[in-house]
Amino acid sequence: MTTVGVPAGWPATEEEARAVQDELRGLVVLDEPGPPPGEGRVTGVDVAYDDDLDLVAAAAVVLDAATLEPVAEATAVGRVSFPYVPGLLAFREIPTVRAALDALPCPPGVVVCDGYGLAHPRRFGLASHLGVLTGLPAIGVAKNPFTFTYAAPGPVRGSCAPLLAGAEEVGRALRTQDGVKPVFVSVGHRMSLDGAVAHTLALTPRYRLPETTRRADALCRRALREAAQDVSGRRGQDGTIRQAPTS
DNA sequence: GCGACAG
DNA sequence: ATCTTGTCGC
C-alpha cells in the first residue's frame, strides 16, 4: 500500500476544477477502436471514503481478460482531495487512483472506471480524465444515468439503448444480465463506444457490474478499513496525530 | 430562482 | 459514497 497527499497545484475550487476540465478535454483520443475484448489485461479501479477521518482508499485490480482471474492488485491511501460535487468527481478520486495504478507490478491494459467518461456535463468525466493523465485506454461504467436520458433497453442481456444528452449520444444503457437494471457505459479515452460496450459485456458473465469493478470495490473497502484502524490507533481523542510506530 | 445531480 | 438486519432465492 502506498500513501499519497493532495498533489501540488490540485484545484482548490470548483471554478479551477472546471477550468482544468475545459483545458484537458481536447486531449481525449476518440479515433482509436481500443484493444479487443477478451484479450490481454483489464484493470478495475475504485475508491472508498471516510470523510470523518479524511481518508481515501483506492484499489486497482488487474484481471486476465480471457479468464477474468486477478493477476495483480495494488492499493493506495490518501487524504480527501476535493469534496463531492456532481461533475467534478474526478478531482476527488484521481490522486489516490493514480497512486494505486502506479503501484501495480504490470501494465494495466484497459482501465475500467466506476463512473463516466464522455457522459459528463463537459464531456470529461472520470474515465476520460484518468485516461488522458495516464495515456491508457479507459472506459466508464456507471450504476445510474446521472442527468442523462435513455429509453429502456430490451430485457435480454446485451440489449442496449443510447444514453442521451439532448440528441447527442454520450454513452449507452446496457443490459448486462437478463431482466436486471442496465449499467451506463461511456467512452473514456482511446476506445470506441462499441468497444466499451463489448468490453463491459465480456466483464459481466454473471453479475450486473463488471468483475473489474466488483474486485476493485471489495479491495478498496478492505484497504479503507485497515487504514481507518491504523489512523484511529495513532490519533488521540483530540484528533492529535501521534507518531507512526517505527519498526 | 429551485431542484437534480457519477461516487 | 455511507448509514444498516434480516431475508428471499439460486
Side-chain angles (χ1 to χ4, degrees), chain A residues 40-243:
Chain A
R41 282 165 178 181
V42 191
T43 295
V45 293
D46 195 17
V47 175
Y49 301 94
D50 189 320
D51 284 281
D52 293 330
L53 292 177
D54 186 26
L55 281 178
V56 183
V61 180
V62 185
L63 306 187
D64 179 289
T67 64
L68 302 188
E69 286 304 310
V71 299
E73 60 181 43
T75 60
V77 172
R79 318 288 298 273
V80 174
S81 53
F82 209 84
Y84 172 66
V85 179
L88 300 178
L89 178 65
F91 296 93
R92 190 166 164 78
E93 309 219 324
I94 277 183
T96 322
V97 166
R98 283 201 76 177
L101 282 172
D102 288 344
L104 287 172
C106 62
V110 174
V111 177
V112 181
C113 297
D114 196 4
Y116 283 126
L118 294 187
H120 178 273
R122 286 167 294 283
R123 306 295 178 266
F124 196 69
L126 172 63
S128 297
H129 201 146
L130 189 62
V132 163
L133 293 188
T134 61
L136 298 167
I139 68 174
V141 181
K143 296 182 284 292
N144 73 57
F146 201 7
T147 60
F148 304 106
T149 60
Y150 65 102
V156 175
R157 166 175 153 85
S159 307
C160 59
L163 185 64
L164 299 171
E168 179 185 1
E169 183 179 32
V170 294
R172 232 160 254 168
L174 173 67
R175 193 89 64 187
T176 55
Q177 297 298 321
D178 291 357
V180 169
K181 175 185 161 124
V183 299
F184 303 89
V185 179
S186 58
V187 168
H189 184 57
R190 301 181 56 193
M191 176 84 75
S192 68
L193 182 52
D194 285 339
V197 166
H199 275 274
T200 304
L201 275 176
L203 291 168
T204 50
R206 170 106 171 85
Y207 298 103
R208 174 180 178 238
L209 297 179
E211 286 303 310
T212 39
T213 304
R214 293 166 42 78
R215 298 272 189 178
D217 180 71
L219 182 56
C220 71
R221 290 188 196 226
R222 194 186 324 149
L224 181 65
R225 280 202 308 272
E226 291 166 4
Q229 286 281 339
D230 284 6
V231 168
S232 1
R234 255 180 299 113
R235 278 185 194 171
Q237 50 283 71
D238 56 355
T240 306
I241 300 179
R242 281 185 255 136
Q243 191 58 54

